């Protein structure tokens, strides 16, 4: 995560998104004001949701890639 390191007062977390062979590595992030998105909230609550969402997107993109094969 980035806790006011990227921009003062902004906290963020990100996860790599791997869509499949031949597709560039991407990322998905969640960011917001540090006052409403403290590090604990990002890491403990939103982090697991972010990872779950990334996995779902990867699965759908890979499925589409396989069907276009």
């Amino acid at each position: 995560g980035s806790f006011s390191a990227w921009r003062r007062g902004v906290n963020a977390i990100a996860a790599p998104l791997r869509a499949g062979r031949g597709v560039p590595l991407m990322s998905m992030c969640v960011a917001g004001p540090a006052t409403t998105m403290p590090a604990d909230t990002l890491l403990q609550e939103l982090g697991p949701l972010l990872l779950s969402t990334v996995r779902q997107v990867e699965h759908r993109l890979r499925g589409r890639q396989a069907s276009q094969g």
Side-chain angles (χ1 to χ4, degrees):
S2 173
F3 307 107
S4 292
W6 171 68
R7 181 167 283 191
R8 175 183 244 138
V10 176
N11 288 341
I13 56 172
L17 193 153
R18 296 172 182 92
R21 284 196 171 121
V23 179
L25 180 65
M26 297 178 265
S27 67
M28 191 175 287
C29 79
V30 176
T35 54
T36 59
M37 294 194 122
D40 287 347
T41 299
L42 284 171
L43 293 171
Q44 295 172 9
E45 295 178 34
L46 298 177
L49 291 172
L50 174 62
L51 290 176
S52 175
T53 301
V54 165
R55 299 302 167 248
Q56 290 175 28
V57 171
E58 288 175 338
H59 181 74
R60 291 190 71 174
L61 290 174
R62 288 177 184 161
R64 184 173 5 153
Q65 203 175 36
S67 69
Q68 294 174 354

